[in-house]
Amino acid sequence: MKKTINTYLGTLASCLCVLATNSHALGNDNDSIDNLPSTALQWQAVAKQDIHYAYQQSATNHPGMLDSHNPGFAQLLENAKQQALVLAEKIKNTSGYEATIARFNTVLQDGHAGAVAVLPKSVRQPRRWPGFSVVWRGDGLKVYYSEHDKVTKGDKIISCNDTPIKPLMRNTLFKFHGQVEQPGHWWNQGWRLLIDDGNPFLPPLKTCDFVQSSGVAYSLQLQWVERPDSVSQHLVNAYNGDKLEVGLHWPVEDIAWIAMPTFAPNETEKSNYQQLFADLARQREQLLTATAVVLDLRHNQGGSTYWSLKIAEQLWGQQIVNYRKDKHDEKSQVWWRASKDNTQYVESLITVLRDQPEMHEMVKAVSVGMRASLEAGKPFYVEHKPQANNASKQLAESDFKNKAIVIVPGQCGSACLDAVDTFKLFSNTVLFGAPSSSDSTYMDVRLVDTPSGLSKVIIPNKVYVNRARGNGDFYQPDIPFNEVEWTTDALLEGIKKWPVVRELVNKDIKH
């Protein structure tokens, strides 16, 4: 099966998925930026300049501008510019600038497009909180950690400022963060409702109404203070739970646990993946008789599809995985937007990937195609799709038939979502946890600095046409897990309570 370039360009995509959760993730560590604005008028001027630049870069290079399958993109981009410019007239400081750039981004509703502010740490306003932090679970907002004497972990927030939580979130935080129609984004953005980052267009909440697990209701006047640094240690596991190292674990005798917290591994994690592949091969007989094999995607922000593909091949078999993926993707095409800047960017990858022979040749082929399309005045280079290998057609079913339980976190998108696509090609795969995130059909991004250096424009270089998973599609869990705690122990207990697993576990105990 052919690997595509996005298999190896995952690190940047991974950064952008992180940005969808936390816009500070690419924060500018250079606190000596020349001529940092100091007055309201200067901040307004810089914001307008950067918004116009982000619009122009996107209009010139984004595949959506010439995508016949998405005729509304040009107007959507115009709307993003206009809404951001309205806010730019009102900003006075760094927080207003950051919120304005965020609005440009959220109008587009695509983690692989738009812009993101990268302000120096020294000018960011410290986060304030009301003495407790929250997480979204299932259909509600719950307290995860509290230093407030009246608020307890697990309490559910019903409303704030006399407005029910769902419409409140829709009309406040989702105007500046995430994609409101994506259930997974409620999971990975919900914590922001009870945080004050200084956004001048979102005044802090004044009151909230709660209900305890016992059913007792109460109300609270919120007092906002700077959140102590010590709180961070209590929030490490708030969203994704604890982070396991890449590898094969056996938390109990008959349940295998394959941890894949990243598909953009560093050198140590790459080594761990190689060890994981070896362990899966060496312990295959044990895996085939396990009560369940858990595929843990917590903390995963995307990256390279290579790693999940290798895991699938180890479990179900290389030939049958590749055959099913070929069949799944047989109608899909990859169209590269052959603008001048996009073409030059892909050409620059030839040097970057010179030590990876397979990818080096592939990038050269794509760059030649893009250059030819550019010079011929064609908007796209349609990537050549080789004839599918049909040698696997007569393969028997895979001998891996026990339950493969995929733990899906709300932020799972990009290569993480590709992993779910692959695992779900097999009927013994069950999704456990939260709704996934989603992808548009625009992929393989690059970042372009705005003139001020305080933002980066996100430019996708290609578009998938006729992709099996549609634009904005996401996965719902087969087994929702809406508990406040998402630690390995909590998830393991939840999995063991699932009837199919419980019966097998009890059977093993009796024996």
Side-chain angles (χ1 to χ4, degrees):
M1 183 184 67
K2 181 185 177 184
K3 297 182 181 70
T4 56
I5 288 179
N6 72 303
T7 302
Y8 291 86
L9 297 187
T11 301
L12 182 54
S14 176
C15 290
L16 293 174
C17 287
V18 173
L19 287 171
T21 303
N22 181 1
S23 62
H24 291 181
L26 280 186
N28 194 329
D29 291 329
N30 179 10
D31 287 348
S32 60
I33 290 180
D34 294 334
N35 301 318
L36 192 69
S38 57
T39 68
L41 287 176
Q42 288 175 350
W43 276 111
Q44 291 167 18
V46 166
K48 293 174 186 176
Q49 166 192 259
D50 287 352
I51 292 163
H52 281 292
Y53 184 82
Y55 171 84
Q56 191 56 52
Q57 282 290 313
S58 299
T60 302
N61 300 293
H62 194 294
M65 291 297 290
L66 298 172
D67 181 5
S68 60
H69 301 88
N70 187 13
F73 181 82
Q75 185 58 56
L76 184 65
L77 183 63
E78 177 67 23
N79 292 346
K81 179 181 72 172
Q82 294 302 331
Q83 290 192 36
L85 289 174
V86 169
L87 296 184
E89 294 283 356
K90 306 173 185 178
I91 66 177
K92 299 178 181 179
N93 53 26
T94 55
S95 298
Y97 173 89
E98 189 169 32
T100 298
I101 297 299
R103 186 60 187 150
F104 177 81
N105 204 54
T106 54
V107 172
L108 295 176
Q109 294 288 280
D110 183 356
H112 289 158
V116 62
V118 288
L119 294 167
K121 293 179 180 179
S122 61
V123 301
R124 297 181 198 144
Q125 178 172 308
R127 282 178 173 159
R128 300 198 308 157
W129 75 326
F132 58 91
S133 63
V134 298
V135 290
W136 184 269
R137 292 290 187 262
D139 63 351
L141 200 62
K142 297 181 180 180
V143 176
Y144 180 81
Y145 174 74
S146 176
E147 294 184 358
H148 196 292
D149 57 5
K150 292 184 179 180
V151 180
T152 303
K153 184 173 185 174
D155 291 355
K156 186 174 182 178
I157 304 176
I158 303 302
S159 64
C160 292
N161 287 7
D162 297 322
T163 304
I165 287 299
K166 285 187 177 180
L168 179 65
M169 290 175 65
R170 281 182 172 273
N171 294 321
T172 56
L173 78 88
F174 276 113
K175 296 294 185 183
F176 298 92
H177 302 284
Q179 299 173 43
V180 66
E181 300 304 329
Q182 297 295 326
H185 284 240
W186 289 68
W187 283 70
N188 65 31
Q189 301 291 343
W191 62 275
R192 293 183 181 276
L193 187 68
L194 271 298
I195 285 291
D196 175 16
D197 276 332
N199 185 333
F201 310 113
L202 294 178
L205 304 176
K206 295 181 179 180
T207 62
C208 285
D209 301 311
F210 301 74
V211 61
Q212 299 173 343
S213 58
S214 63
V216 175
Y218 66 96
S219 299
L220 190 70
Q221 294 281 338
L222 303 182
Q223 302 295 324
W224 293 87
V225 298
E226 184 174 335
R227 193 178 74 183
D229 291 340
S230 60
V231 171
S232 296
Q233 64 183 313
H234 300 288
L235 302 180
V236 172
N237 296 337
Y239 177 53
N240 271 213
D242 51 319
K243 185 177 181 180
L244 301 178
E245 289 188 357
V246 171
L248 173 60
H249 312 271
W250 292 88
V252 294
E253 183 178 354
D254 293 323
I255 296 180
W257 199 286
I258 300 173
M260 297 170 279
T262 180
F263 290 144
N266 57 32
E267 291 306 312
T268 298
E269 291 163 337
K270 288 178 183 177
S271 177
N272 289 344
Y273 265 114
Q274 295 304 322
Q275 183 61 52
L276 171 58
F277 301 152
D279 289 343
L280 291 173
R282 181 171 51 84
Q283 300 181 42
R284 182 166 180 77
E285 288 188 15
Q286 188 177 356
L287 289 165
L288 292 178
T289 59
T291 298
V293 175
V294 178
L295 301 167
D296 184 0
L297 294 173
R298 287 178 301 159
H299 296 274
N300 198 299
Q301 303 278 359
S304 164
T305 60
Y306 170 82
W307 307 103
S308 63
L309 179 60
K310 299 303 291 185
I311 298 293
E313 290 174 353
Q314 290 280 353
L315 293 175
W316 284 281
Q318 182 179 21
Q319 284 187 312
I320 193 168
V321 168
N322 288 346
Y323 173 66
R324 291 199 181 189
K325 282 191 67 64
D326 283 341
K327 291 294 290 181
H328 184 258
D329 299 332
E330 63 183 353
K331 295 182 180 180
S332 177
Q333 291 183 316
V334 179
W335 294 15
W336 293 84
R337 173 68 181 97
S339 67
K340 177 181 177 182
D341 290 345
N342 289 356
T343 301
Q344 289 177 346
Y345 168 73
V346 173
E347 288 174 337
S348 74
L349 297 177
I350 296 173
T351 301
V352 174
L353 297 172
R354 62 181 179 274
D355 296 328
Q356 300 181 41
E358 181 183 4
M359 284 309 304
H360 185 256
E361 293 305 313
M362 193 177 301
V363 170
K364 283 172 60 178
V366 171
S367 64
V368 168
M370 293 180 72
R371 175 60 62 179
S373 294
L374 175 64
E375 292 177 354
K378 297 179 180 179
F380 292 101
Y381 162 64
V382 180
E383 188 175 337
H384 172 66
K385 193 168 187 176
Q387 185 70 30
N389 181 6
N390 294 322
S392 306
K393 276 189 175 181
Q394 304 304 317
L395 279 178
E397 288 294 313
S398 172
D399 59 351
F400 176 58
K401 297 181 181 296
N402 40 340
K403 289 299 180 184
I405 302 175
V406 185
I407 298 177
V408 182
Q411 88 279 351
C412 182
S414 196
C416 180
L417 203 54
D418 292 336
V420 180
D421 287 341
T422 301
F423 300 149
K424 284 293 285 183
L425 293 174
F426 298 89
S427 61
N428 58 327
T429 297
V430 175
L431 304 186
F432 184 97
S436 74
S437 185
S438 68
D439 292 332
S440 73
T441 50
Y442 304 113
M443 303 292 283
D444 278 0
V445 298
R446 60 187 176 87
L447 299 180
V448 180
D449 288 334
T450 57
S452 73
L454 298 175
S455 293
K456 292 182 182 293
V457 188
I458 306 166
I459 304 292
N461 293 284
K462 72 182 186 184
V463 55
Y464 282 104
V465 176
N466 297 323
R467 187 179 67 186
R469 172 168 39 86
N471 191 343
D473 287 355
F474 55 89
Y475 286 98
Q476 288 282 9
D478 299 306
I479 309 170
F481 189 77
N482 297 328
E483 301 300 319
V484 171
E485 284 290 2
W486 262 52
T487 60
T488 301
D489 288 343
L491 290 162
L492 178 60
E493 288 305 306
I495 289 170
K496 288 163 66 176
K497 291 177 182 177
W498 182 41
V500 173
V501 173
R502 185 175 65 236
E503 290 173 10
L504 292 172
V505 170
N506 290 339
K507 180 179 178 182
D508 291 340
I509 290 174
K510 288 177 182 179
H511 285 134

